Amino acid sequence: MSPLSARRWLVAGLAATTAFSTLALRLRAAEPAGTQIELWVPIVVTTFIVAAILALLVGLVMPAVLRGNFLAAGALVALGVAAFDLRLLVTAIGVSPDYFAMAETDPAAVAPLQPPYATRLPYVSVLALRTAGAEPRIALRDAAGRELPPYGGDLAMDGVAHRLNFLAPASPFTLSVQGSVQVQAVTAYDGTVRAAGKFIHFWWLFAVAAVTAAFASLGLADAARLLQRRAGGGMSVSHWAVLALVAYVGITLPYFDTYAGGADSSGYLNSARMLAHGHLSLPLPRPSDAGMLHAARFVPLGFTLGASLPARLVPTYPLGLSLLFSGPMRILPERFAISVVILAHLVAGLVLMYHLARRLTASEAWAFALAAALALSPVYLFMGVQPMSDVPALVWVLASVVAAQRGRPTWSGVAFAAAVMIRPSNVLALPAVLLARSWRPQELLHALAGALPFAMVEAWCNQRLYGHAWTTGYGDTSTLFGRQWLGPTFAHYARWFPIEFTPLILFAPAAPFLRRLSVATRRLIVVWTLPLLCFYAAYYCTHQTWWYLRFLLPTVPIWLCAAALALPPRLPRPLLGALALFAGIWLFVADARLGTLNSAAGNVAYEQSSEWLAAHAPADAIVISSVTSGALMHYSQVHFAFVGAPSESRDVADYAAAKHHALYADFFPFEDKYFPPANPSGHWRAVHQAGSIVIWLWEPEKTRSPG
């Protein structure tokens, strides 16, 4: 690489990284204000369309000034846009970073805030949740004590946080809160953010504008290529791919969900913490005076009672993913360690997707396009930013196939064994690994040698924890599968595959029937897709929601390759460009509508509710829980009781009353059905709300003294 091209590469890289990093900050700043990510889509699209067109125009109009360096011109424009955007973002975040205030009683909760006028942000937004009681009152008071009433917004008592908007004062101010209301965040913003909520209703106009602008700029792009050739070169496709990957990481990184939330994430992270401390099981967290309750009441989600260790908790889920988390946890802060593992798998999946597509399609452009399609797929993005096993399952299956194709049998065996340790159903991908190449006997022995140590470790752990080498923590799963689920699940596939992978995925089923493809490729497509597709079609919950297609993620790479191979082989280049643009817009809209980056914003409530109980509940309190039980174990030392029916909650309530323990409940609204039956001796009172989780306290009726 010449010094000139190296400088172009450096300038363009810095420009793209700066632009996309500030975009990530802008999206991140929307969270404290309660702004949905979708509201930023029109602004982002418009900003980048304008920046791209300006870059093209500058490169054409001022080639002499910039010595014909089109990329340098684009870099200057991108840096200018990014610098302006960064100015707004830094000031917006600096006004009130992660500000929280709680007013549980009528006395005003006063919190001093710095004035936002210096940042030229004209509005202040208060995100608040009305919990109960009479109409609450929220006001801003300036330094002179004058009250600044809100000019818009209301606090409806519907279990959802709402915003009150104020004109930004020109002096330090305080926030006055009266009534049963929880203030979750205070932030300042500009008119652009305010207008974004109105733009979202015209999203389709922005999509049309994006397509029109892209096609209108084709002529400018052709002229720019002429300038590039005259200037002696430009960036290759690989360089743009690296920049795109950097941008992808920059955008997704602020949204990594590192919380121990529901059953899966809390199960994996609790197990990882256990393994990081050198344990395979944990003592049952049962109070010493709880002999009247069954041991199952003290088993959180993600764990079960050991077959040979009845007084200890053993993991429900396979240990593979927890082992991957536990290693970094031994040397890094826990949350950072979780992020490292998430990031490694998110990026590895895309790199391996490129290598698979490059080998099957023999086209670098197709390889990058299919890797981008995987990156933007809602289910890949949604599950990939969480501590879940789905993307790691894809990564290790894909790594096994790619290693086999590249003649690395030992690594193929290692990767396949890791995939099975992460998710036992990945054993159904074995035919795909075996058909990935023409194996020689010696290579098969090397693959077996790579897999055998991991298989022995897994068998030993299963024997130790569950009583048999072939038994897992799931126990008897026969009741979870049935023929009655086949119809609903295949209908679910037909509906959601085109949404999550664009309608182009509908070409994939035709690939095995195309004679222009090699027999080996057609066989690979069939044996890779069908086993898992049919296996999870009989699973009871696959059809319930869009993100349950996560079970099929290990097959998605071959689905995407099959769709590309099934398209007519000699499509005109403009048509291919239009298809790529269509697919990108389709996936971007799907991500926005499905909220694929919103999991952390919702799951933080698990940590907040657990930490509130740890700080406010008495040391001997008992907390009735269900979905939040794993989070309570991870974030606190409170005694919890897992319940799944009102009768079980009644047993726990009777025990708490008999032993004089304070009794709390930590429930989502849909878990209200688990409350004990009505009891005239007392009542439940909501004492705190974190996100959608409500914490309740049981208050016995006080007996009046005679007279």
Side-chain angles (χ1 to χ4, degrees), residues 522-564:
R522 287 184 282 163
R523 286 177 179 172
L524 180 64
I525 293 171
V526 172
V527 301
W528 195 342
T529 57
L530 282 185
L532 282 172
L533 191 75
C534 296
F535 178 78
Y536 282 109
Y539 192 41
Y540 80 102
C541 70
T542 307
H543 69 281
Q544 292 178 358
T545 186
W546 67 269
W547 45 266
Y548 277 155
L549 285 187
R550 64 192 181 96
F551 300 132
L552 300 181
L553 267 176
T555 69
V556 167
I558 196 64
W559 274 96
L560 294 174
C561 290

Side-chain angles (χ1 to χ4, degrees), residues 174-369:
T174 57
L175 175 66
S176 177
V177 180
Q178 293 180 338
S180 299
V181 60
Q182 173 188 353
V183 176
Q184 296 183 345
V186 179
T187 188
Y189 61 97
D190 60 6
T192 309
V193 179
R194 184 184 178 193
K198 307 181 189 308
F199 292 159
I200 193 62
H201 301 293
F202 304 98
W203 161 244
W204 61 275
L205 286 177
F206 285 92
V208 172
V211 175
T212 304
F215 277 102
S217 65
L218 287 178
L220 295 175
D222 289 336
R225 290 191 192 98
L226 291 175
L227 288 177
Q228 281 183 291
R229 283 196 290 269
R230 291 174 183 174
M235 289 177 63
S236 68
V237 177
S238 299
H239 291 158
W240 286 113
V242 172
L243 287 179
L245 186 60
V246 170
Y248 183 76
V249 171
I251 292 173
T252 57
L253 192 60
Y255 295 94
F256 278 12
D257 180 355
T258 58
Y259 299 107
D264 293 55
S265 56
S266 69
Y268 291 123
L269 296 183
N270 281 325
S271 296
R273 181 182 287 178
M274 174 189 71
L275 293 170
H277 288 86
H279 303 297
L280 275 178
S281 62
L282 294 171
L284 186 68
R286 186 178 191 176
S288 57
D289 60 358
M292 62 187 295
L293 290 177
H294 192 280
R297 296 285 70 76
F298 304 100
V299 179
L301 289 176
F303 284 83
T304 187
L305 291 173
S308 57
L309 304 167
R312 297 185 69 84
L313 298 176
V314 298
T316 299
Y317 303 122
L319 293 178
L321 182 60
S322 297
L323 283 169
L324 292 175
F325 282 122
S326 66
M329 280 183 180
R330 296 177 70 92
I331 57 176
L332 298 172
E334 184 174 285
R335 186 147 289 167
F336 186 69
I338 297 169
S339 296
V340 167
V341 176
I342 288 175
L343 176 62
H345 284 94
L346 195 66
V347 172
L350 304 181
V351 174
L352 291 167
M353 178 71 228
Y354 166 81
H355 284 290
L356 176 73
R358 188 76 173 89
R359 182 168 292 269
L360 293 180
T361 65
S363 167
E364 186 180 40
W366 268 118
F368 285 128

Side-chain angles (χ1 to χ4, degrees), residues 478-504:
S478 60
T479 58
L480 304 179
F481 293 84
R483 288 178 295 179
Q484 68 271 27
W485 308 118
L486 295 176
T489 304
F490 279 111
H492 184 73
Y493 291 162
R495 176 188 178 188
W496 283 103
F497 258 86
I499 294 176
E500 297 189 37
F501 307 107
T502 79
L504 298 178

Side-chain angles (χ1 to χ4, degrees), residues 366-379:
W366 268 118
F368 285 128
L370 294 179
L374 178 64
L376 295 176
S377 164
V379 67

Side-chain angles (χ1 to χ4, degrees), residues 404-553:
Q405 290 178 330
R406 297 171 69 89
R408 307 285 179 82
T410 304
W411 288 112
S412 179
V414 169
F416 182 75
V420 175
M421 288 187 72
I422 290 171
R423 180 177 289 173
S425 62
N426 281 341
V427 73
L428 297 175
L430 180 59
V433 177
L434 293 177
L435 288 179
R437 67 178 288 107
S438 298
W439 295 85
R440 298 194 304 268
Q442 186 178 6
E443 291 177 333
L444 288 174
L445 289 176
H446 287 168
L448 182 61
L452 190 58
F454 296 90
M456 293 174 64
V457 169
E458 184 171 16
W460 179 82
C461 290
N462 289 343
Q463 178 71 41
R464 180 77 180 272
L465 297 176
Y466 314 117
H468 196 284
W470 303 107
T471 302
T472 68
Y474 294 116
D476 182 13
T477 60
S478 60
T479 58
L480 304 179
F481 293 84
R483 288 178 295 179
Q484 68 271 27
W485 308 118
L486 295 176
T489 304
F490 279 111
H492 184 73
Y493 291 162
R495 176 188 178 188
W496 283 103
F497 258 86
I499 294 176
E500 297 189 37
F501 307 107
T502 79
L504 298 178
I505 201 71
L506 297 176
F507 287 92
F513 303 97
L514 298 176
R515 293 187 176 182
R516 57 182 169 82
L517 302 181
S518 68
V519 174
T521 299
R522 287 184 282 163
R523 286 177 179 172
L524 180 64
I525 293 171
V526 172
V527 301
W528 195 342
T529 57
L530 282 185
L532 282 172
L533 191 75
C534 296
F535 178 78
Y536 282 109
Y539 192 41
Y540 80 102
C541 70
T542 307
H543 69 281
Q544 292 178 358
T545 186
W546 67 269
W547 45 266
Y548 277 155
L549 285 187
R550 64 192 181 96
F551 300 132
L552 300 181
L553 267 176

Side-chain angles (χ1 to χ4, degrees), residues 11-95:
V11 172
L14 289 174
T17 303
T18 305
F20 280 101
S21 297
T22 54
L23 169 60
L25 283 173
R26 175 171 279 270
L27 292 171
R28 182 68 173 176
E31 291 182 6
T35 306
Q36 296 178 354
I37 293 176
E38 295 92 327
L39 304 185
W40 297 88
V41 171
I43 300 173
V44 172
V45 171
T46 304
T47 300
F48 277 92
I49 288 175
V50 172
I53 294 177
L54 286 176
L56 290 169
L57 289 175
V58 170
L60 292 173
V61 173
M62 298 191 300
V65 176
L66 296 170
R67 298 181 182 176
N69 192 337
F70 166 70
L71 290 176
L76 289 176
V77 175
L79 283 172
V81 173
F84 179 78
D85 200 37
L86 182 62
R87 180 189 65 81
L88 291 180
L89 255 291
V90 170
T91 53
I93 295 174
V95 172

